């Protein structure tokens, strides 16, 4: 049996034990009908990622879809994502260990036609760059209507709009694909390289988010990266937040600060600070996930000798505060919290 066939066999064997696989590698998830639901490929709590436990209606067991990012694949792909920065050979060794099959055969030296996860990731990043490049400035578009409807006035070149973005519900969705308008947000690393594009699908009739499952999706790589908004002035402070709308709400009240949106609580905890930053203000949502993410990020920052401060909304998130109390009241609240934690600033 050749190595390529053995990978297919491994994938099928893992699919036969999909529920046991999920319980071992994604213990924070939970079973919902014929699916195991978890937050993302890192195993965080949540429901964005669904793994099919048994074959049903012609759809294979073990197939998965992350509705927040648009990523999908089989259990070999998922195991590779779960293990992190490991080679395909190491992933196969782990799969065989789980199945009780040894040893791990050597991989073929000839180039294989089958696409490896690294190549797939590079292609997703390339697609993300192409999509964002095809967008246009948000002013005067449905994207501006959406943000302004939420009280947000802080914009920037990290945002664009596209009237017809490809919308796919899943790898094996029987419905034909369609296109929908979307706010686009550029995800970059600390060198300024684009690693992904966040898509916020919009409803032209309401100006709000489209009424579909997971209207907010990510194409490309988010791990450690962020959507960034610069104030135009040089400073050593950075505000890092969860969702795009929540981070921009803080930026609307504090336009003189640089911002970084990590989009989810999980990725807030994974944020990699850029060089030269001396202090980071963690703007987390007022819930358990946000609190846990802030603790994780704080530990990482303290190990790098970066000072931390916490910014916590009075309501569920900062966009709730902005809409309920207004920009001036939110600014006063944020400045007061920052001064209490050592920031020297003249609020003029």
């Amino acid at each position: 049996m050749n190595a390529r066939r053995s990978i297919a066999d491994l994938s099928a064997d893992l699919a036969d034990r999909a529920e046991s696989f999920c319980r071992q590698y994604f213990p924070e998830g939970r079973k919902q009908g014929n699916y195991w639901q978890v937050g993302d490929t890192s195993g965080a709590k949540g429901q964005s990622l669904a793994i099919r436990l048994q074959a049903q209606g012609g759809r294979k067991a073990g197939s998965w879809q992350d509705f927040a990012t648009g990523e999908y694949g089989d259990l070999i792909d998922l195991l590779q994502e779960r293990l992190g920065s490991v080679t395909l050979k190491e992933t196969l060794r782990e799969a065989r260990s789980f199945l009780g099959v040894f040893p791990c055969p050597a991989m073929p030296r000839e180039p294989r036609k089958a696409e490896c996860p690294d190549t797939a990731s590079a292609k997703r990043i390339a697609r993300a760059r192409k999509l964002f490049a095809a967008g246009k400035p948000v002013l005067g578009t449905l994207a501006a209507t959406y943000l302004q409807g939420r009280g947000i006035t802080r914009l920037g070149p990290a945002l664009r709009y596209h009237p017809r973005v490809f919308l796919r519900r899943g790898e094996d969705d029987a419905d034909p694909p369609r296109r929908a308008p979307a706010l686009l947000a550029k995800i970059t690393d600390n060198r300024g390289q684009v690693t992904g594009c966040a898509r916020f699908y919009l409803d032209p009739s309401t100006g709000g988010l489209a009424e579909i499952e997971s209207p907010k999706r990510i194409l490309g790589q988010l791990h450690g990266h962020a959507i960034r908004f610069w104030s135009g002035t040089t400073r050593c402070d950075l505000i890092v937040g969860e969702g795009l709308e929540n981070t921009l709400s803080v930026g609307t009240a504090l336009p003189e600060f640089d911002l970084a949106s990590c989009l989810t609580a999980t990725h807030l905890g994974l944020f990699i600070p850029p060089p030269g930053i001396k202090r980071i203000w963690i703007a987390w949502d007022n819930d358990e996930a946000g609190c846990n993410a802030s603790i994780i990020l704080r530990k990482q920052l303290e190990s790098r000798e970066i000072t931390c401060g916490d910014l916590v909304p009075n309501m569920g998130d900062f966009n709730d505060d902005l809409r309920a109390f207004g920009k001036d009241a939110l600014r006063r609240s944020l400045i007061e919290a920052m001064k209490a934690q050592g920031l020297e600033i003249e609020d003029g």
Side-chain angles (χ1 to χ4, degrees):
M1 180 170 58
N2 62 35
R4 184 183 302 178
R5 176 58 183 164
S6 71
I7 294 174
D9 286 344
L10 276 178
S11 179
D13 290 344
L14 290 176
D16 289 339
R17 298 176 58 182
E19 185 168 343
S20 296
F21 175 94
C22 292
R23 292 187 182 280
Q24 175 160 329
Y25 293 104
F26 297 92
E28 296 295 336
R30 60 178 181 173
K31 186 177 180 181
Q32 293 286 340
N34 191 33
Y35 293 89
W36 189 268
Q37 291 186 309
V38 68
D40 54 31
T41 57
S42 73
K45 290 183 178 179
Q47 303 181 47
S48 296
L49 190 150
I51 307 163
R52 188 176 294 113
L53 300 178
Q54 296 180 4
Q56 186 178 52
R59 300 178 177 182
K60 297 179 181 180
S63 59
W64 59 276
Q65 167 94 25
D66 188 333
F67 292 99
T69 67
E71 295 176 299
Y72 57 85
D74 64 9
L75 293 184
I76 295 290
D77 298 325
L78 188 57
L79 183 59
Q80 174 100 15
E81 294 287 339
R82 182 67 181 90
L83 295 176
S85 300
V86 299
T87 65
L88 178 58
K89 183 176 180 179
E90 290 169 324
T91 301
L92 297 178
R93 182 182 294 114
E94 178 67 21
R96 288 182 169 84
S97 176
F98 170 77
L99 294 168
V101 179
F102 294 96
C104 177
M107 296 300 296
R109 295 182 180 179
E110 299 82 5
R112 296 182 298 114
K113 293 182 180 179
E115 181 177 85
C116 69
D118 286 343
T119 302
S121 178
K123 287 188 174 182
R124 287 194 295 269
I125 292 173
R127 284 163 47 206
R129 291 173 176 170
K130 183 177 180 180
L131 174 59
F132 187 79
K136 63 180 183 179
V138 299
L139 290 177
T141 69
L142 184 63
T145 300
Y146 169 65
L147 294 171
Q148 291 164 2
R150 301 189 69 134
I152 294 169
T153 58
R154 178 78 178 266
L155 306 176
L159 301 179
R160 287 187 181 177
Y161 171 74
H162 197 295
R164 300 182 71 249
V165 178
F166 184 64
L167 175 58
R168 177 174 56 194
R169 294 184 181 276
E171 176 187 13
D172 49 11
D173 187 5
D175 294 333
R178 61 189 180 92
R179 294 181 181 271
L183 166 67
L184 307 177
K186 178 175 61 174
I187 300 167
T188 57
D189 61 18
N190 285 328
R191 297 174 299 168
Q193 297 295 310
V194 178
T195 65
C197 179
R199 298 158 292 172
F200 299 74
Y201 289 100
L202 305 173
D203 185 337
S205 62
T206 66
L209 289 173
E211 293 187 2
I212 59 174
E213 186 175 11
S214 302
K216 302 178 181 182
R217 304 183 184 185
I218 300 166
L219 176 64
Q221 286 282 351
L222 176 58
H223 188 114
H225 310 315
I227 303 165
R228 302 164 198 265
F229 301 86
W230 305 124
S231 63
T233 58
T234 302
R235 54 185 312 132
C236 296
D237 287 50
L238 176 66
I239 297 175
V240 180
E242 293 187 43
L244 176 67
E245 299 91 339
N246 302 330
T247 307
L248 288 176
S249 296
V250 176
T252 295
L254 298 174
E256 67 270 39
F257 279 85
D258 294 337
L259 310 171
S261 169
C262 301
L263 295 176
T264 71
T266 297
H267 290 94
L268 175 66
L270 298 172
F271 178 69
I272 300 172
I277 294 297
K278 302 299 183 183
R279 175 166 47 193
I280 284 182
W281 299 95
I282 308 173
W284 46 279
D285 291 1
N286 195 359
D287 56 24
E288 182 180 359
C291 180
N292 291 338
S294 71
I295 293 172
I296 294 171
L297 180 56
R298 176 179 287 272
K299 289 180 179 178
Q300 179 201 160
L301 297 176
E302 288 176 346
S303 69
R304 297 169 181 254
E305 298 184 346
I306 297 176
T307 303
C308 302
D310 286 306
L311 301 176
V312 188
N314 291 300
M315 302 179 71
D317 59 51
F318 284 108
N319 192 243
D320 289 340
D321 282 11
L322 176 62
R323 290 188 286 176
F325 309 123
K327 179 175 68 174
D328 293 340
L330 177 56
R331 178 177 177 85
R332 288 193 296 271
S333 175
L334 290 167
I335 291 295
E336 181 179 348
M338 296 169 103
K339 284 183 174 180
Q341 297 175 79
L343 179 67
E344 296 181 2
I345 185 172
E346 293 296 329
D347 186 18

